Amino acid sequence: MLDRFKTNIATVALIVGLTGGAIAGQFEDGVEALGRGDYPTATRLLGPLAEKGDTRAQIALGVGPAVKGYTPPSTSVSPFGIYLIFVAIILAVSGATYARLRLQIQNRRIRRDEFLRQLPPEVHAEINHARQIAAERPWTPIAFKLDSIEMTDRGVRFHANGEHLGHAFSFGLALTMSYGPVAVCEWYRDGDASEGLIDILAYLAGVPRGDSHFDELVKTSLIILRAAPPNVPFAQVASLRCKVFFEFTEDNPEIYLDLDFAEKTGLIREKNPMDRKRLVYAFQANDQRESTPL
């Protein structure tokens, strides 16, 4: 995005450079004032240019809410010429937006660096360990197939099975819409076959599997990030992209869940490498979670 803004700024500089230095600067300043909502300044800068017949300024004032009652002189500019002028105005505003965005990013980096400096040494060690494990064992999406799909007006229920990193796995899942894009997401144990998913998560986290096992029922929350097609009854949805929250597990680990009902496939994607260890225990029974240090 930043590279695109830089390109936009260079384009504006080229367009303005062809129209003369003093007038160009006045036009740019006026458009920048429009972009930040300073309409009196925009009117003061662009008004004289518009009176002199500068079509760019006339169009800019025509779309600015500060110039109520201002009637630009008639012009014989072609539709394509108006299009180019609009492009120049948009690019000029983009330049001001880029400057603000760059400042926001710098401020966020400063706050982030300050926050990281204040973390205790053991937290830094955990972060570095998670990064090392993520580099050594990259998370590729865990793919699975869907069968026994039951669509309703309020959700879906299906059985999933797949193989990843040499481990076969399966589970059941029921999704029930609650409010807006939020849903209750329940994972069901499918006998010993569900243990394969724990094996995969333990390997990706670099922790021993131990005695942990997939609980009979794991309740989570889910928010739908994207549905296709949009704005249709749930029974007509062909695919979903979701974020799953394990709110009953310490530190609330999260994953992304993609479901394609048309192709009968799904993916489990990583949200944060720091969550890997917590995800191993997220599928455990409550009594196991209480006795397992995270």
Side-chain angles (χ1 to χ4, degrees):
M1 180 180 289
L2 295 183
D3 291 338
R4 185 179 65 188
F5 278 138
K6 291 177 181 177
T7 303
N8 291 349
I9 294 172
T11 306
V12 172
L14 176 61
I15 295 174
V16 172
L18 297 176
T19 61
I23 294 178
Q26 186 175 342
F27 172 73
E28 279 186 325
D29 292 343
V31 170
E32 184 177 347
L34 278 178
R36 65 174 182 267
D38 185 357
Y39 302 120
T41 299
T43 305
R44 176 174 56 80
L45 293 171
L46 296 176
L49 299 179
E51 294 292 346
K52 294 178 181 178
D54 189 319
T55 310
R56 302 170 309 157
Q58 293 169 5
I59 293 179
L61 289 173
V63 299
V67 289
K68 260 186 176 180
Y70 177 85
T71 305
S74 61
T75 176
S76 59
V77 180
S78 67
F80 182 69
I82 294 177
Y83 166 78
L84 291 179
I85 294 167
F86 266 120
V87 169
I89 293 170
I90 292 171
L91 293 179
V93 173
S94 297
T97 302
Y98 165 68
R100 290 196 299 271
L101 179 61
R102 183 175 60 182
L103 181 60
Q104 290 174 1
I105 291 175
Q106 290 174 346
N107 290 337
R108 288 173 185 171
R109 285 175 177 169
I110 292 172
R111 291 195 298 269
R112 180 200 62 190
D113 293 343
E114 180 63 26
F115 171 76
L116 291 175
R117 280 194 295 269
Q118 295 177 2
L119 293 176
E122 58 270 20
V123 176
H124 278 287
E126 183 181 359
I127 293 173
N128 292 333
H129 178 71
R131 288 175 176 171
Q132 180 181 351
I133 293 296
E136 295 173 352
R137 305 181 183 188
W139 181 306
T140 56
I142 302 174
F144 53 87
K145 297 179 181 178
L146 309 182
D147 57 57
S148 304
I149 302 174
E150 301 176 13
M151 302 287 289
T152 69
D153 289 338
R154 295 193 58 225
V156 62
R157 186 185 184 99
F158 59 83
H159 176 264
N161 66 88
E163 183 175 339
H164 191 75
L165 298 175
H167 298 282
F169 65 92
S170 66
F171 57 86
L173 190 143
L175 187 159
T176 305
M177 298 306 300
S178 175
Y179 181 79
V182 178
V184 175
C185 183
E186 298 176 314
W187 307 66
Y188 293 91
R189 177 182 172 86
D190 185 26
D192 292 340
S194 294
E195 302 304 326
L197 184 58
I198 304 294
D199 291 328
I200 295 168
L201 295 174
Y203 170 79
L204 292 172
V207 298
R209 165 65 186 271
D211 296 329
S212 61
H213 65 83
F214 200 107
D215 197 2
E216 295 296 328
L217 173 62
V218 180
K219 292 187 176 182
T220 64
S221 297
L222 173 152
I223 183 168
I224 296 177
L225 304 176
R226 187 178 67 194
N231 303 318
V232 298
F234 196 97
Q236 299 177 21
V237 171
S239 65
L240 293 174
R241 171 160 291 183
C242 316
K243 182 162 66 171
V244 179
F245 304 85
F246 292 82
E247 65 268 36
F248 296 110
T249 303
E250 185 174 338
D251 292 327
N252 309 119
E254 303 171 3
I255 56 173
Y256 290 116
L257 181 67
D258 295 347
L259 301 172
D260 191 324
F261 305 117
E263 298 295 330
K264 297 183 178 181
T265 59
L267 292 173
I268 298 175
R269 297 184 294 115
E270 183 172 51
K271 169 67 165 57
N272 184 352
M274 290 292 294
D275 284 343
R276 291 190 182 188
K277 184 177 179 180
R278 302 178 183 106
L279 286 171
V280 176
Y281 309 116
F283 289 96
Q284 290 184 0
N286 289 331
D287 56 346
Q288 294 182 78
R289 294 180 197 153
E290 293 171 0
S291 61
T292 305
L294 297 180

